[in-house]
Amino acid sequence: MVLGLLASAVVLFRLGLSDALRALTFGGRVMGAVFLASAVVELAAVGAVLDFWGRRVMRYAGQAVLLGVSIVTVTSLVLLVLQWEGGYLAGWFWLWTGLVAWAVWAVWVVAREKVWQGVPHPRSFATGVALSALIGSASVTYSAMYVPYVAPPKVPFMVSFGKPVLNPDRKRLYVPAHFTFRNEGSVSIFVIGTLWSAQLWPSAFRAQGTERNEWRWELGEGWDTNRQEEFNADPRLLAAGQISNAGARLDPGDDFSKEAVVEVPLEAGQGRVELSAQVSFIRADRCKLANSYGGSIERSWNADSPRQEHVRDAPAWLTEKGDDYFRYQSRIYRSSEVMRMTQAPDWASMWWVIPKGNDAIPFMQVHISRHPNGREQLSEDEQEPYGMKTLNHSVDQPVAVLRRAAGA
């Protein structure tokens, strides 16, 4: 009986101390305090066990044992169900299983001893326990459900052109690019990754227009269709970069907006300039990235060599052999110690892939997986606890329109 109570007290003390000091939500810190109080009660129950099966000096030793056993039963059962529901049958799972089995035996023992006899004011005692549980549950519900519902992230993210300027040699344009990325809400976020790029799409006039099968296919793929415009060559990269550093924390009121100037060559024929951008982030009140995320960059080339030669390939599911990449990666830490102990560890990864070819357009892929190098991506339900969002925006303008705006 003593060993079971001590084992549960140690676990609850660890849970309670960690959450009371470091949980990301108010409800999580309240529950941390509740766990600490429960650990103290279980330690008192250990002394009551020694007295109840010893000299029986304490008047309510049996009732203290009953309270301690009840706490172990409820907490271990809740932790076991929580981990079972998450499908993570490893880590602490077998400890919860052992404590539940011990609790069944302990309940049988205290029932046989009829330790509940002699409890003073049983109705008041039961009401106090129920009220405490209700307050704790309300705190968790408020911070874990109500607050996220009424305080969703408000992160305006837009892409736009500025007024272009013609170079004096009249052979190129300087086109300003604006990327709006700021936090106007009340929830902080962690940036997993960002990417912006500008590319030139060469095109020519098509007098007859595209055939029905072609423009129907374009619409079916979710693209815009321009029947009179023939894109007769692969896009050409003009510029690219990051809007903010990977792993950056964007608190309410912070502004990570960026402005860049793209140089567009004025060549014969038509063409379009496209600006595109992508940002991915998670809510800082539900989880956090490891502090090492920003420094975890891994490159596919030898950064210390003058030749910068390619030394490793990305996984085959991501891109082709010979393509370059760099990657940021770290474990995601959940909002509370309870979740960290009962749920499988997840990893956030941000890949920037740079395909072969001097004019190739880089692309970004962000995912959360159960394995550091795994392809597996969590479902929307599994990602929901992190509040993960990926936003994509793009705008384009014909080169002729940009030239006219520049007075060319």
Side-chain angles (χ1 to χ4, degrees):
M1 187 70 72
V2 167
L3 288 177
L5 289 169
L6 282 176
S8 179
V10 170
V11 171
L12 291 182
F13 181 80
R14 171 179 171 171
L15 286 172
L17 186 62
S18 178
D19 281 348
L21 297 177
R22 292 185 291 274
L24 301 181
T25 63
F26 171 74
R29 300 206 175 198
V30 169
M31 288 310 299
V34 171
F35 282 136
L36 284 176
S38 299
V40 172
V41 172
E42 289 184 357
L43 289 177
V46 169
V49 166
L50 300 176
D51 181 78
F52 185 78
W53 277 280
R55 300 176 59 186
R56 298 204 176 187
V57 175
M58 297 172 57
R59 181 178 178 181
Y60 300 119
Q63 291 77 30
V65 174
L66 174 62
L67 183 59
V69 170
S70 300
I71 291 175
V72 178
T73 303
V74 173
T75 56
S76 58
L77 186 60
V78 168
L79 293 170
L80 177 63
V81 170
L82 189 62
Q83 188 159 347
W84 177 277
E85 181 66 20
Y88 181 51
L89 307 185
W92 298 84
F93 178 79
W94 299 111
L95 176 60
W96 317 140
T97 303
L99 286 175
V100 168
W102 174 90
V104 172
W105 168 81
V107 168
W108 174 76
V109 170
V110 296
R112 184 185 60 184
E113 297 287 342
K114 298 181 179 180
V115 297
W116 58 82
Q117 292 179 347
V119 174
H121 310 295
R123 290 186 179 179
S124 299
F125 177 79
T127 301
V129 172
L131 184 60
S132 299
L134 180 62
I135 293 173
S137 300
S139 298
V140 173
T141 302
Y142 174 78
S143 62
M145 297 178 64
Y146 177 73
V147 171
Y149 175 75
V150 299
K154 295 180 181 178
V155 185
F157 178 55
M158 294 174 288
V159 181
S160 61
F161 286 98
K163 181 176 174 55
V165 176
L166 181 65
N167 186 273
D169 64 10
R170 306 186 69 83
K171 293 182 179 180
R172 56 192 184 276
L173 290 175
Y174 299 116
V175 182
H178 305 301
F179 305 98
T180 302
F181 181 37
R182 58 178 180 268
N183 191 346
E184 294 183 353
S186 58
V187 179
S188 299
I189 62 173
F190 285 108
V191 178
I192 299 180
T194 62
L195 164 68
W196 73 269
S197 64
Q199 50 262 7
L200 176 66
W201 292 80
S203 65
F205 176 68
R206 178 181 287 176
Q208 300 301 322
T210 54
E211 297 294 332
R212 173 183 171 84
N213 287 344
E214 183 174 345
W215 63 257
R216 182 183 62 184
W217 178 82
E218 290 174 344
L219 292 177
E221 291 295 311
W223 300 349
D224 296 331
T225 185
N226 295 280
R227 294 193 61 205
Q228 308 303 130
E229 195 169 8
E230 180 182 3
F231 295 97
N232 49 21
D234 291 333
R236 173 181 173 184
L237 179 66
L238 298 176
Q242 299 187 62
I243 299 173
S244 68
N245 295 330
R249 181 185 174 107
L250 192 62
D251 291 319
D254 286 348
D255 191 338
F256 283 2
S257 298
K258 179 172 182 174
E259 294 192 3
V261 177
V262 179
E263 194 164 355
V264 180
L266 297 179
E267 299 172 340
Q270 299 183 48
R272 284 178 178 264
V273 176
E274 180 184 15
L275 292 177
S276 60
Q278 180 179 356
V279 299
S280 184
F281 58 84
I282 55 178
R283 292 179 62 130
D285 61 340
R286 296 190 183 181
C287 59
K288 70 183 295 290
L289 297 172
N291 293 333
S292 60
Y293 183 77
S296 66
I297 186 170
E298 176 189 87
R299 300 176 179 87
S300 63
W301 62 89
N302 186 355
D304 298 324
S305 169
R307 297 178 56 194
Q308 304 280 299
E309 61 270 11
H310 182 89
V311 294
R312 61 175 67 88
D313 289 326
W317 54 263
L318 180 65
T319 188
E320 298 179 359
K321 282 189 175 182
D323 289 349
D324 280 314
Y325 72 87
F326 62 83
R327 180 192 69 177
Y328 291 90
Q329 184 181 78
S330 80
R331 181 176 173 181
I332 301 178
Y333 291 92
R334 297 175 184 264
S335 60
S336 69
E337 187 69 16
V338 172
M339 298 301 294
R340 285 191 284 271
M341 292 180 71
T342 59
Q343 303 298 306
D346 294 327
W347 297 76
S349 300
M350 186 277 280
W351 301 81
W352 253 52
V353 178
I354 307 171
K356 295 184 291 291
N358 198 44
D359 290 332
I361 311 300
F363 65 89
M364 183 179 79
Q365 179 166 332
V366 174
H367 67 264
I368 297 175
S369 64
R370 287 279 157 81
H371 189 274
N373 296 308
R375 179 182 183 181
E376 172 199 12
Q377 295 188 26
L378 303 189
S379 66
E380 289 186 7
D381 290 340
E382 291 172 317
Q383 291 189 19
E384 175 60 25
Y386 301 124
M388 180 177 173
K389 250 185 191 178
T390 299
L391 305 176
N392 296 276
H393 285 296
S394 65
V395 294
D396 67 82
Q397 288 283 353
V399 174
V401 174
L402 295 174
R403 291 183 65 165
R404 184 178 182 86

